[in-house]
Amino acid sequence: MEYDLLIREAEIQDASAVIALLDQIGQESNFTSLDENGIAMSESEMQHFLDKQAQSDNQITLLAFLNDELVGIINITADQRPRVRHIGDVFLGIKKAYWGNGLGSILMEETIEWAKSSGSIRRLQLTVQKRNLAAVHLYEKMGFIIEGLQERGACIEGGEFLDVYLMGQLIDE
Ligand code: ACO
C-alpha cells in the first residue's frame, strides 16, 4: 500500500485527535511519563495549549499524518523567562504500529530545522529512559549527546525505578 506522508504544525482544530494520539501513546508503551490515563486534558485545554504553541516563537507542535491518519507528534515547549527561553524541551511519540519506519527521525529533523530558523531556540534538550534504545539511538543520530544520568529518573508499574538520560544539543543557524 502506498503511504502519503504529511508533516505540519498543529492547529486548534487538531485538539481531539492530538488527545487521542497521546492517550494511545500512553497505552502502547511505558517509555514516557504518559500512562494508561493518557494526557488527561480536556479538548478546550488542548485547544488552548495548541493555540499558545502556534503563537509562540520558541515553541511548536508538529504532527505526522499518514493517509490522513494522525500517527506521530513532536512537541517543543519552552519557558518564557528571558534567561531560559532559548531552551526547547522535546517530547516525541509515534503510534506503535508505525515504529521503525523513519517517522520519528523525520519529525526530529524538521524540528531541528525549525529551531535553527526560529531565531530564539539555541538549545534542545530532553530526557529519555536509558532502556529506550531506539529513542536513544535516534537522538544520538540527530546530534544529541548524553549530558547526564538521572538514577531513579522514572518509576514504572510495580515500583521499578529506571535510569534516565539527560540529552541535549546546541542549535546554531
Ligand atoms: N536498539 C538500537 N536502535 C534501535 C533499536 C534498538 N533496540 N530499535 C530500533 N532502533 C533504531 C532503528 O534502527 C532506527 O535507527 P536508524 O534510522 O539508524 O535505522 C531508530 O532506532 C528509530 O528511528 P525511526 O524509525 O525514525 O523512529 P520511530 O518512528 O520508530 O520513532 C520513537 C521512535 C519515537 C522512540 C517511537 O518508538 C515511539 O514513539 N516510542 C514510544 C514513545 C517514546 O518512547 N517516545 C520517546 C520518549 S523520550 C522523549 O520524548 C524525549
Side-chain angles (χ1 to χ4, degrees):
M1 183 177 173
E2 289 231 336
Y3 282 101
D4 194 9
L5 173 65
L6 170 70
I7 307 285
R8 67 160 170 82
E9 196 168 349
E11 301 165 358
I12 53 174
Q13 295 86 340
D14 298 311
S16 62
V18 169
I19 291 171
L21 174 65
L22 293 171
D23 288 352
Q24 186 169 342
I25 289 169
Q27 284 153 12
E28 288 184 337
S29 88
N30 55 10
F31 284 138
T32 74
S33 56
L34 296 173
D35 57 21
E36 66 280 358
N37 298 311
I39 188 68
M41 282 171 83
S42 69
E43 188 171 346
S44 64
E45 286 169 337
M46 182 59 80
Q47 285 172 341
H48 180 66
F49 173 78
L50 294 177
D51 192 35
K52 268 182 33 191
Q53 292 289 99
Q55 306 286 339
S56 176
D57 65 313
N58 65 347
Q59 305 190 101
I60 197 167
T61 300
L62 290 179
L63 304 177
F65 294 84
L66 274 181
N67 294 348
D68 296 331
E69 178 189 357
L70 177 58
V71 296
I73 184 167
I74 192 162
N75 204 39
I76 303 297
T77 51
D79 201 297
Q80 297 310 322
R81 293 181 183 88
R83 290 180 186 164
V84 288
R85 76 182 312 285
H86 63 284
I87 301 172
D89 285 292
V90 183
F91 173 87
L92 174 63
I94 305 290
K95 277 187 189 172
K96 194 169 189 174
Y98 300 98
W99 289 2
N101 291 293
L103 293 172
S105 300
I106 291 170
L107 280 174
M108 183 60 83
E109 266 171 7
E110 292 281 333
T111 299
I112 291 168
E113 284 312 305
W114 164 82
K116 285 179 178 170
S117 61
S118 68
S120 46
I121 292 294
R122 301 301 303 276
R123 169 184 168 82
L124 289 173
Q125 65 183 22
L126 57 87
T127 57
V128 58
Q129 295 171 10
K130 182 180 172 183
R131 65 178 186 148
N132 192 349
L133 300 178
V136 173
H137 170 85
L138 188 162
Y139 300 143
E140 287 187 317
K141 185 180 76 171
M142 292 290 155
F144 286 82
I145 60 167
I146 295 170
E147 299 176 326
L149 176 77
Q150 289 179 322
E151 290 180 274
R152 297 188 189 168
C155 180
I156 54 168
E157 300 72 21
E160 184 188 352
F161 289 111
L162 300 175
D163 288 346
V164 167
Y165 284 139
L166 306 168
M167 301 184 76
Q169 76 166 287
L170 301 184
I171 298 294
D172 292 298
E173 284 171 26

